[in-house]
Amino acid sequence: MPLLGLLPRRAWASLLSQLLRPPCASCTGAVRCQSQVAEAVLTSQLKAHQEKPNFIIKTPKGTRDLSPQHMVVREKILDLVISCFKRHGAKGMDTPAFELKETLTEKYGEDSGLMYDLKDQGGELLSLRYDLTVPFARYLAMNKVKKMKRYHVGKVWRRESPTIVQGRYREFCQCDFDIAGQFDPMIPDAECLKIMCEILSGLQLGDFLIKMAWKDVRHEMVVKKGLAPEVADRIGDYVQCHGGVSLVEQMFQDPRLSQNKQALEGLGDLKLLFEYLTLFGIADKISFDLSLARGLDYYTGVIYEAMLLQTPTQAGEEPLNVGSVAAGGRYDGLVGMFDPKGHKVPCVGLSIGVERIFYIVEQRMKTKGEKVRTTETQVFVATPQKNFLQERLKLIAELWDSGIKAEMLYKNNPKLLTQLHYCESTGIPLVVIIGEQELKEGVIKIRSVASREEVSGGGRNRRDEVFLPFPDSVRNMHLLAEKLSSWLIVVEMNKHPFQMTIAACEY
């Protein structure tokens, strides 16, 4: 039976007033009308309270949430990548997440159908950016920039079938490095390959190999430049080969290739590139491979792709097959597509596959059972007694103002054991303790969370506790902060922070 509360008070009052009135011919129609209104209101109220259909809470296909543990690992990877870009003199920049649809179309070949189109908003047809390269080329043309070395870290979107188990998503992050401008041949290209080697070596993912090819030597020269069929057939013989500068020298000696001017120019540039790579000390990481082909239409010269070499899996590990973890190449004509007069700005760049790298690191951490600390808190402010909230707030404020990362529990009277357990569970290395005894003696106690070693006597003789005068002035706090910072450095080096000889500071 439905509850009376389901109807508004006015509806019930009107209905009851009509029912209590004496029946008469003149009011019969009114009663019928009021009854219909009440029935309609009751029906609507009941529908609103009906059980909702099952709703599955999930992320959209091809996307994922990043937990605090994920973000710690991700930020470390990005920090290493960006620091390498900066080491090579790159400037950071960003572009809108969406572009005019006409800006992106006809730049990706068959992959143009994988762009995410947005509905008409204010008279403009828009699409989410497919990569970071085309927006960069648009930026150069729009601002008439002729030379630039830049890096860009941002999300891109591709409407393709995702393979989550291999680190492939519809929404993912790209880390790009590009050099735009007219320079002597192969010097910028060699630096891009050097950067790729530095990043992959720094990430310690294992052995890797960068496959490199010259796009004009194969498909471009055959299809678009009318290369003679016999020369094309000869190139086909080399497609199955791969190697270093020796393979380039071998192709130089081929009489049919040596008679073609365009082939000689491409091979000459490759030979020069290998000379620079040898000077950089990375020639052994590069393999000339004519079977390599990048799918994007805007590449015009050298193209390259980094692959992790398969290593024997350890116990409990599954073989990882994630494809390329970095790629790039030369695209000399892309900027000219946006320039009204067709002025070209030669460009070469690379992109680091962060999502695939993150997937590899994540899987290895799961296998090894490694735990990730999700905060950077250095010091925890604790007390063993009640009614010490004001002292804790004053002390933690001084720590924050001195640049020390500190925390405390949001309770008036927390138990000391609870506070210490919190430090152990979150990995906080040091605890600053203030209580009645410390306040009476004008000192604070600093305890190492990891060490529990004791010698007889306790108190000041504990090896994991140090007493310092209470910081009752700014000068005292700076000295305390300096001491804490020096100990934290030792903690980061995985050494016992109190094995040094530490005398009580006389402020």
Side-chain angles (χ1 to χ4, degrees):
M1 179 178 181
L3 299 177
L4 295 181
L6 293 177
L7 286 177
R9 291 184 177 180
R10 290 183 179 180
W12 278 111
S14 177
L15 178 61
L16 291 174
S17 64
Q18 294 295 330
L19 293 176
L20 293 175
R21 289 176 59 185
C24 62
S26 61
C27 64
T28 303
V31 172
R32 185 181 300 109
C33 180
Q34 292 291 341
S35 299
Q36 292 173 350
V37 171
E39 183 179 358
V41 174
L42 178 61
T43 302
S44 64
Q45 293 286 341
L46 289 175
K47 287 183 178 180
H49 285 77
Q50 287 178 350
E51 185 178 355
K52 294 182 179 180
N54 292 334
F55 176 70
I56 301 176
I57 302 177
K58 60 184 286 292
T59 59
K61 184 179 180 181
T63 66
R64 66 178 301 184
D65 292 321
L66 294 174
S67 68
Q69 290 80 5
H70 292 153
M71 285 303 300
V72 171
V73 178
R74 191 182 189 88
E75 287 173 358
K76 288 183 178 180
I77 293 174
L78 292 178
D79 287 346
L80 187 148
V81 172
I82 293 174
S83 64
C84 181
F85 291 161
K86 291 182 177 180
R87 188 164 61 247
H88 286 260
K91 305 172 183 177
M93 66 166 290
D94 196 7
T95 60
F98 48 85
E99 297 271 353
L100 294 175
K101 184 176 180 179
E102 59 184 321
T103 299
L104 304 180
T105 52
E106 300 181 1
K107 307 300 189 303
Y108 304 108
E110 297 178 355
D111 290 345
S112 295
L114 301 180
M115 293 190 306
Y116 274 103
D117 295 334
L118 304 179
K119 289 186 177 180
D120 184 7
Q121 298 291 337
E124 292 183 332
L125 296 179
L126 308 174
S127 296
L128 293 177
R129 62 188 180 197
Y130 184 88
D131 66 2
L132 303 179
T133 306
V134 172
F136 175 55
R138 188 265 308 156
Y139 173 88
L140 294 176
M142 188 177 72
N143 294 281
K144 301 186 184 305
V145 178
K146 301 301 181 183
K147 290 184 179 181
M148 187 177 186
K149 183 189 291 186
R150 80 87 163 92
Y151 76 88
H152 187 181
V153 177
K155 286 187 175 182
V156 298
W157 294 266
R158 298 182 182 181
R159 191 169 48 84
E160 59 185 354
S161 179
T163 310
I164 306 301
V165 295
Q166 294 183 359
R168 296 177 64 92
Y169 300 90
R170 288 183 167 180
E171 178 190 65
F172 57 96
C173 178
Q174 279 192 339
C175 299
D176 282 18
F177 174 97
D178 293 86
I179 301 174
Q182 186 70 50
F183 303 101
D184 289 342
M186 297 294 105
I187 299 177
D189 307 71
E191 183 174 7
C192 286
L193 289 167
K194 171 65 173 171
I195 291 171
M196 192 178 288
C197 287
E198 288 181 7
I199 291 174
L200 295 179
S201 298
L203 291 171
Q204 299 180 358
L205 301 175
D207 291 336
F208 61 90
L209 182 68
I210 300 177
K211 296 182 179 181
M212 182 181 67
W214 187 270
K215 193 168 184 179
D216 282 349
V217 174
R218 42 187 326 266
H219 182 73
E220 291 288 320
M221 294 185 66
V222 177
V223 177
K224 296 184 178 181
K225 298 186 177 181
L227 197 63
E230 61 273 12
V231 178
D233 292 340
R234 189 57 182 159
I235 291 177
D237 296 337
Y238 284 104
V239 169
Q240 306 300 323
C241 303
H242 55 85
V245 67
S246 60
L247 178 59
V248 179
E249 293 284 2
Q250 181 182 349
M251 296 181 71
F252 257 118
Q253 302 303 321
D254 189 291
R256 280 176 286 187
L257 291 181
S258 60
Q259 294 176 3
N260 185 275
K261 181 181 178 180
Q262 292 171 324
L264 282 177
E265 290 178 355
L267 292 173
D269 284 342
L270 281 176
K271 183 179 179 181
L272 181 61
L273 177 58
F274 268 106
E275 292 179 6
Y276 296 150
L277 297 177
T278 301
L279 294 174
F280 281 150
I282 59 172
D284 60 327
K285 292 292 186 181
I286 313 297
S287 174
F288 183 42
D289 188 345
L290 284 175
S291 66
L292 177 64
R294 299 287 294 152
L296 301 179
D297 274 9
Y298 51 66
Y299 286 116
T300 58
V302 165
I303 54 176
Y304 35 83
E305 194 171 80
M307 310 287 292
L308 294 182
L309 300 179
Q310 290 290 340
T311 57
T313 56
Q314 299 178 0
E317 289 187 357
E318 295 182 1
L320 299 176
N321 182 21
V322 297
S324 64
V325 292
R330 177 162 287 278
Y331 52 101
D332 290 344
L334 186 57
V335 178
M337 294 182 181
F338 298 106
D339 190 278
K341 297 182 179 180
H343 294 315
K344 295 183 178 181
V345 178
C347 298
V348 64
L350 64 97
S351 182
I352 303 297
V354 176
E355 304 295 348
R356 297 185 182 184
I357 291 173
F358 176 68
Y359 171 76
I360 294 171
V361 174
E362 183 182 19
Q363 294 304 311
R364 290 181 178 177
M365 291 181 64
K366 285 182 178 179
T367 301
K368 297 178 181 179
E370 296 181 7
K371 294 183 179 180
V372 177
R373 187 183 172 199
T374 57
T375 68
E376 298 181 1
T377 306
Q378 300 168 305
V379 179
F380 186 88
V381 178
T383 181
Q385 277 94 29
K386 295 182 179 180
N387 302 320
F388 265 78
L389 178 60
Q390 293 184 4
E391 287 76 9
R392 285 190 294 145
L393 292 175
K394 178 183 176 181
L395 183 55
I396 198 170
E398 296 284 359
L399 291 172
W400 288 334
D401 294 341
S402 299
I404 294 178
K405 301 168 185 176
E407 282 188 67
M408 57 174 277
L409 289 187
Y410 302 133
K411 289 188 176 182
N412 283 322
N413 302 307
K415 295 181 179 180
L416 181 60
L417 188 60
T418 302
Q419 298 172 82
L420 296 178
H421 282 170
Y422 177 81
C423 295
E424 291 179 350
S425 62
T426 56
I428 300 176
L430 297 180
V431 179
V432 174
I433 300 175
I434 176 68
E436 293 179 356
Q437 186 67 27
E438 289 79 18
L439 194 60
K440 181 179 179 181
E441 297 180 4
V443 299
I444 58 172
K445 183 190 299 181
I446 304 175
R447 172 181 293 184
S448 168
V449 176
S451 172
R452 297 183 178 182
E453 300 176 6
E454 292 187 25
V455 294
S456 61
R460 291 177 184 266
N461 292 325
R462 287 179 57 92
R463 291 183 59 196
D464 61 349
E465 293 179 353
V466 172
F467 290 83
L468 294 175
F470 186 78
D472 55 359
S473 69
V474 175
R475 176 178 175 273
N476 291 353
M477 193 62 228
H478 286 330
L479 291 173
L480 173 61
E482 185 178 339
K483 283 288 185 184
L484 286 173
S485 298
S486 64
W487 294 335
L488 287 166
I489 292 174
V490 180
V491 171
E492 293 297 327
M493 296 173 62
N494 296 321
K495 296 179 181 178
H496 195 294
F498 302 115
Q499 288 179 346
M500 303 177 284
T501 301
I502 301 176
C505 299
E506 298 294 340
Y507 293 135

